[in-house]
Amino acid sequence: MRIFLAALLALALTFDPAQAARVKDITNVTRARDNQLVGYGLVVGLQGTGDSLRNAVFTEQSLQSMLDRMGVQTRPGAMRVKNVAAVMVTADLPAFVGKGSRLDVTVSSMGDASSLMGGTLIMTPMTAPDGATYAVAQGQLIVSGLAARGEAETLTHGVPTVARLPGGAIVEREPPTQLQRGPMALTLKNPDYRTATLIADAINARTRALFGRALAQERDDRTVALQHPPRGSLTRFLAEIGAIEVKPDTPARVVVDAR
């Protein structure tokens, strides 16, 4: 009997009461989203851990093209360096970022380089899906992974072919984000019909007190449409509704006691 009761208790259905959360923590403003950037570049200064030019033909072509632009004449197939690696450079461009701001960059090897440790990324333009260049990345890489090889054993910790470049990209062009015009909406990070209606009701309760009318309308399980406020700045309006607290509706969970 005790075993049966213990099994029932272990498989009991429990409800985790949702905690109050601010609107800005569980939603995003559709017209104020991040944009992804990507670029192709070269990492130099590696200690013999770069691409083998015979296997990574694109690395040799990129190196030759870069040297030609700098006035250094090279012959195809004559280079035998092991200190260069071809990489893809990625970053997120925040909304409303200005020229001269710095972005964190992730650098990933494309060829057969064994490690990017100690390397330096050469100036790399970073483009968005529209083809325009929005940032330029360059600088000393930081690698958290480690690869070591001895006569009888090989040790690998983390991923030495992926590196970080904190603040390594400089914004050269501002993203086309216009918060003052066009329709607005809040997008839920975790779509749910009940949560969308709770957010709309909470916003309308606040806007009725401030402006005398409702300005929010739930559209579906992930979108709450917003109207522009009749007076005041839009930035202050978004800050006001972002601080509103709601209790997101969460599904029930079954918790199994391992004992």
Side-chain angles (χ1 to χ4, degrees):
M1 185 65 181
R2 290 182 180 180
I3 297 178
F4 177 74
L5 291 176
L8 290 179
L9 291 176
L11 297 176
L13 182 65
T14 62
F15 293 89
D16 185 16
Q19 300 295 324
R22 297 177 300 181
V23 171
K24 67 179 180 180
D25 294 330
I26 59 178
T27 63
N28 293 318
V29 181
T30 54
R31 297 185 65 85
R33 66 178 184 85
D34 293 351
N35 297 273
Q36 293 181 328
L37 303 179
V38 65
Y40 171 80
L42 292 175
V43 171
V44 300
L46 302 175
Q47 193 174 5
T49 59
D51 295 339
S52 57
L53 301 187
R54 300 286 76 81
N55 296 331
V57 181
F58 48 85
T59 305
E60 182 180 10
Q61 294 175 351
S62 302
L63 180 59
Q64 182 178 355
S65 177
M66 181 187 69
L67 294 177
D68 289 342
R69 291 196 304 268
M70 294 182 175
V72 180
Q73 299 296 325
T74 59
R75 293 182 302 169
M79 292 181 289
R80 295 292 187 272
V81 297
K82 285 284 292 180
N83 299 335
V84 182
V87 294
M88 294 299 297
V89 185
T90 57
D92 287 336
L93 183 68
F96 313 117
V97 67
K99 293 182 180 180
S101 301
R102 288 190 171 269
L103 308 175
D104 294 340
V105 171
T106 301
V107 180
S108 306
S109 174
M110 291 182 58
D112 56 356
S114 58
S115 177
L116 298 179
M117 183 173 296
T120 300
L121 177 67
I122 300 299
M123 184 182 297
T124 303
M126 304 188 67
T127 60
D130 59 2
T133 298
Y134 286 89
V136 176
Q138 180 174 271
Q140 183 75 30
L141 302 182
I142 298 178
V143 180
S144 59
L146 173 65
R149 177 176 298 177
E151 295 183 357
E153 189 174 356
T154 300
L155 173 65
T156 302
H157 177 72
V159 183
T161 54
V162 177
R164 293 282 296 171
L165 190 56
I170 300 178
V171 177
E172 301 292 343
R173 181 176 181 177
E174 298 178 0
T177 304
Q178 297 180 357
L179 191 59
Q180 299 297 330
R181 294 180 295 178
M184 289 192 309
L186 298 177
T187 304
L188 276 68
K189 298 179 180 178
N190 296 314
D192 182 80
Y193 289 105
R194 176 62 178 168
T195 304
T197 57
L198 291 175
I199 293 175
D201 293 342
I203 294 176
N204 288 333
R206 181 66 60 86
T207 57
R208 288 192 183 97
L210 294 176
F211 308 111
R213 62 188 177 123
L215 298 179
Q217 176 64 48
E218 65 279 2
R219 185 180 300 168
D220 48 45
D221 65 336
R222 66 173 64 243
T223 308
V224 177
L226 294 177
Q227 300 179 24
H228 285 247
R231 61 181 182 275
S233 68
L234 185 56
T235 301
R236 189 174 295 274
F237 171 67
L238 292 177
E240 183 72 23
I241 66 175
I244 299 175
E245 291 189 350
V246 297
K247 289 185 177 181
D249 189 66
T250 57
R253 294 186 304 171
V254 176
V255 181
V256 179
D257 190 349
R259 293 177 298 179

